[in-house]
Amino acid sequence: MKTSFYQYTLKELKELFQQNNLPASGPGLLFNWHYKKRKSEPCTADLAKKSIAYVAQNLTFDLPVIDTIQASTDKTVKFLFKLQDGQKVETVLIPFNNKYTICLSSQVGCAMKCSFCHTGLQGLARHLKTEEIVGQFTESQKWLTQNRPEDDKILNIVFMGQGEPLHNFDAVKTACEIFLSQHGLSVADQKITISTAGYLPGLERWKNEMPDVNIALSLHSPITAKRDQLIPINKRYPLEEVLKYVQAIPQGKNRFVTYEYLLIEDFNDSDEDAHLTGKLLEGKTAYISLIPFNPFPGSEYKRPKIEKVEHFKSILDTYKIPTLIRATKGDEILAACGQLNSKVPSVPDQSPF
Ligand code: SAH
């Protein structure tokens, strides 16, 4: 059976070539051709004849296909990708100073069932394969270069789309290795962030197995009863345990753990909530990202007023924890945090293309 080229790290591809007695230069040439030169057609440049034959017989180069595109007036772009088995996932390009952050999905749907998240309501259909994660990047990049050549740089990768990345640890890890590879996509390590709801089995593996990328934890409340209600896996993987592992991840210079705090009106936005959060994170290498709740069809929670969000931040400031309010982008096309759901019919296409 053929396997996907895009599932291999350079090291794995080298092993495959070695096992098949093929010239050692092949994997580097293939990485250069498909990732650096961004070519989709078969590689011919300098590749030995027997390597060309092996590749043709054993590897596939199929990638997820863009099914629909929605672009919002703030330049956010949401792609719905169709996978080979017909499943669909979303990927979002978020503009930032003429460059983009790409928000990748790691699963079709999600098993975590967070009560505030549109994807959570969809349930888990399946994990994404490495090549389906890598493909979201390469195909979005190709689209940008073709459609917005003047600003086609993707600077940051965040695993904040559909799914719990640490629930699909192996595929996410391998995809990160491919993103980071100097011969591959050459993304800098401090430019990749994996966001987790606190999935402990993955956090336990992080320190020894995950390449050097940033971690973000969805905190949302330091109070057990509230966090339980928002993130049901908190009952199984309590915050105290989760924090132990998150805070044990080695942080290089200028590295911070990001704590995401979703703000919901009259639920977790009081002064007391802010003080307890401040006390929990005071003195840590922490950075807080405040995310005002993004509503979606049928959601019961409400977004607090901006004054309330700023007041919450001002309390955190007194604990000297750097805090940023995350700007909402793409909400008119349901592309903002927590609004992704590939099963719900999308709002009418607003694409100018
Ligand atoms: N499973 C990962 C990635 C999910 S999405 C995690 O839980 O971290 C990335 C961020 O968006 C998470 O912090 C998530 O809690 C947040 N989010 C989910 N639904 C949201 C919503 N409706 N409004 C705002 N943020 C939301």
Side-chain angles (χ1 to χ4, degrees):
M1 216 185 68
K2 289 190 177 188
T3 50
S4 172
F5 163 78
Y6 297 100
Q7 77 178 37
Y8 292 112
T9 62
L10 186 61
K11 186 166 167 269
E12 288 167 344
L13 201 61
K14 281 183 175 164
E15 281 160 10
L16 190 71
F17 267 54
Q18 202 176 17
Q19 281 157 17
N20 289 283
N21 297 317
L22 297 168
S25 58
L29 290 170
L30 282 169
F31 258 56
N32 192 48
W33 180 267
H34 290 290
Y35 288 125
K36 283 245 168 348
K37 297 206 167 122
R38 301 185 193 160
K39 305 242 190 213
S40 356
E41 65 271 20
C43 171
T44 47
D46 297 330
L47 204 58
K49 272 219 176 79
K50 65 183 206 179
S51 302
I52 293 178
Y54 177 84
V55 168
Q57 269 166 29
N58 295 284
L59 298 183
T60 59
F61 292 85
D62 300 327
L63 285 169
V65 175
I66 297 175
D67 192 74
T68 43
I69 300 166
Q70 289 174 267
S72 90
T73 45
D74 66 13
K75 291 184 88 179
T76 301
V77 188
K78 180 166 82 168
F79 300 106
L80 183 65
F81 277 103
K82 194 165 174 190
L83 311 174
Q84 275 193 323
D85 62 355
Q87 294 279 8
K88 292 177 181 169
V89 278
E90 292 164 309
T91 305
V92 184
L93 286 171
I94 307 156
F96 172 71
N97 293 342
N98 296 330
K99 300 192 176 64
Y100 292 86
T101 291
I102 190 165
C103 180
L104 298 178
S105 291
S106 55
Q107 297 176 313
V108 183
C110 186
M112 302 298 122
K113 295 198 162 54
C114 298
S115 59
F116 50 83
C117 178
H118 205 194
T119 311
L121 300 181
Q122 189 183 327
L124 177 69
R126 69 168 172 86
H127 293 311
L128 290 185
K129 301 181 205 158
T130 299
E131 58 268 33
E132 292 167 334
I133 299 173
V134 171
Q136 292 173 61
F137 182 98
T138 57
E139 299 316 280
S140 302
Q141 177 70 73
K142 280 178 200 151
W143 182 89
L144 264 184
T145 305
Q146 276 161 16
N147 293 280
R148 296 182 182 173
E150 68 292 354
D151 52 355
D152 73 339
K153 294 243 172 349
I154 302 179
L155 206 61
N156 298 290
I157 296 179
V158 295
F159 282 87
M160 296 187 186
Q162 290 187 2
E164 165 52 45
L166 298 188
H167 189 210
N168 186 14
F169 195 97
D170 293 317
V172 168
K173 173 191 158 195
T174 310
C176 285
E177 284 167 354
I178 295 169
F179 291 139
L180 293 170
S181 170
Q182 300 265 317
H183 300 274
L185 293 161
S186 291
V187 177
D189 52 11
Q190 73 276 25
K191 304 288 185 201
I192 302 180
T193 301
I194 296 178
S195 177
T196 177
Y199 186 72
L200 202 57
L203 285 170
E204 287 167 352
R205 295 177 60 187
W206 185 301
K207 195 172 159 193
N208 293 326
E209 296 184 51
M210 194 56 92
D212 195 12
V213 299
N214 300 310
I215 184 151
L217 175 71
S218 294
L219 175 65
H220 304 347
S221 177
I223 303 166
T224 304
K226 289 190 188 183
R227 195 162 189 272
D228 281 352
Q229 188 176 327
L230 296 175
I231 306 177
I233 63 159
N234 192 53
K235 294 180 204 141
R236 195 149 150 211
Y237 309 125
L239 184 59
E240 209 176 88
E241 274 292 291
V242 164
L243 287 176
K244 244 182 17 209
Y245 281 94
V246 166
Q247 289 165 0
I249 294 171
Q251 298 297 316
K253 226 173 132 214
N254 302 327
R255 282 283 186 97
F256 293 85
V257 176
T258 302
Y259 293 89
E260 293 158 294
Y261 193 105
L262 169 74
L263 273 167
I264 298 172
E265 188 177 68
D266 296 334
F267 181 80
N268 64 353
D269 62 345
S270 71
D271 290 10
E272 196 202 352
D273 289 301
H275 283 292
L276 288 174
T277 305
K279 283 186 187 130
L280 182 75
L281 301 179
E282 196 173 19
K284 306 263 187 322
T285 53
Y287 156 87
I288 299 178
S289 179
L290 285 179
I291 321 175
F293 174 69
N294 293 311
F296 51 85
S299 59
E300 49 182 287
Y301 297 122
K302 290 207 171 59
R303 165 193 285 243
K305 302 218 170 12
I306 185 64
E307 297 76 33
K308 194 75 193 257
V309 177
E310 279 165 358
H311 176 68
F312 197 91
K313 172 177 162 19
S314 73
I315 296 177
L316 293 172
D317 287 342
T318 65
Y319 291 87
K320 310 228 173 333
I321 309 167
T323 303
L324 270 184
I325 299 170
R326 192 183 287 173
T328 301
K329 292 196 175 153
D331 53 342
E332 72 196 54
I333 54 167
L334 284 185
C337 285
Q339 293 185 319
L340 304 183
N341 184 316
S342 45
K343 274 201 175 153
V344 172
S346 292
V347 292
D349 193 352
Q350 310 199 14
S351 166
F353 307 103

